Amino acid sequence: MNEWMQFEREAPGNALGLMFRVYKYVLPGVHEELGRWHGMASDIPDGELRAQALDSLETKRFHCEGGAIYAAANLAQRHVIIPLIVALQTISDYLDNLCDRSTSLDPDDFRLLHQSMLDAVNPGAELRDYYALRDEREDGGYLHALVRTCQSCTARLPAYETVRPYVNRLVALYSDLQVHKHVRQDQRESRLRTWWEERGCDYIELQWNEFAAASGSTLGMFMLFLAATDSRLSSQQADAIFQAYFPHVCGLHILLDYLIDQEEDREGGDLNFCNYYPDSQTLTERFEFIAGRARNDVRRLPAARFHRMIIEGLLALYLSDPKARSQSEVRGISKKLMKRSPMTRVFFWINSMWIRARHAKIY
């Protein structure tokens, strides 16, 4: 295991080195890509599709900013990794908006929409009419352009055929989740529990809501894209990455997202996986357990410190969000989680400064 992964020699080894690369090289590339997609989204003919595309780009841009951190471990390939991560994450965020705010509750519609993500990670897959089961259909080629960008980028990764089965597995889980959680409210939990019974048997340490949360993460896909930049990558190594990221790193990622959205989701009547714990103490204990397992899982990967920084950066990214600071329960959990790692506190401080600087620039 010690001799694989080219990026192991190139990955930053400390928080300041990582953040330097992120702010100097990665974020400018992300913002350039987002600007390009924003311009295309602005020209979408259908008003509803245009509104949801623009909203996803404007309110969820930090998903792309955070996901593209993997490009910092191989700056020489950032011209492939950044457009790929931004395009796939943009598909994810756009479709999430379409399903969340849709007049449709048709699982077949949601399934067809998410076929675009599966096609995106399979170079050569034929494009389809992903809107065929809904009224809003004229997007001016926006979704097809996102899919083609992903296909083009994945085709340029030297070891993509090695990671493709694992990427497909993660995208399939993601698509299943999106279908089950967006149907009628009275069917969501029962469908998710049945799915857990069918698919989650290998992860008995998790509860059904935690498995569902892990399935909603794109981080495992992004790490596999980074790994595929190394032509020497073997199937065993790709499998090791999959096992290290799913379910605990991926689960921590999405549970944090739900944690800070609790108040928002209560007001909107939306499903939130953090609401299925009986009390705040249990919620905190489960977060500590999953974070601990995530830290342990990545220790067996090359450049383990880089992966550890990803985990601590995740905690800092979400816990420094203004939505986290406005909720007393979340603030209490944040303090307990940050006590576990000085590295999290470093990232928390850096990210808080970034949020303040960006806020000052905007306003």
Side-chain angles (χ1 to χ4, degrees), residues 315-332:
L315 287 162
L317 176 68
Y318 283 98
L319 299 180
S320 62
D321 189 281
K323 287 190 288 187
R325 293 198 295 270
S326 68
Q327 301 174 69
S328 58
E329 181 185 47
V330 180
R331 288 200 305 273

Side-chain angles (χ1 to χ4, degrees), residues 27-40:
L27 289 180
V30 170
H31 296 158
E32 181 179 348
E33 290 298 311
L34 287 172
R36 183 165 69 89
W37 293 118
H38 194 283
M40 189 169 186

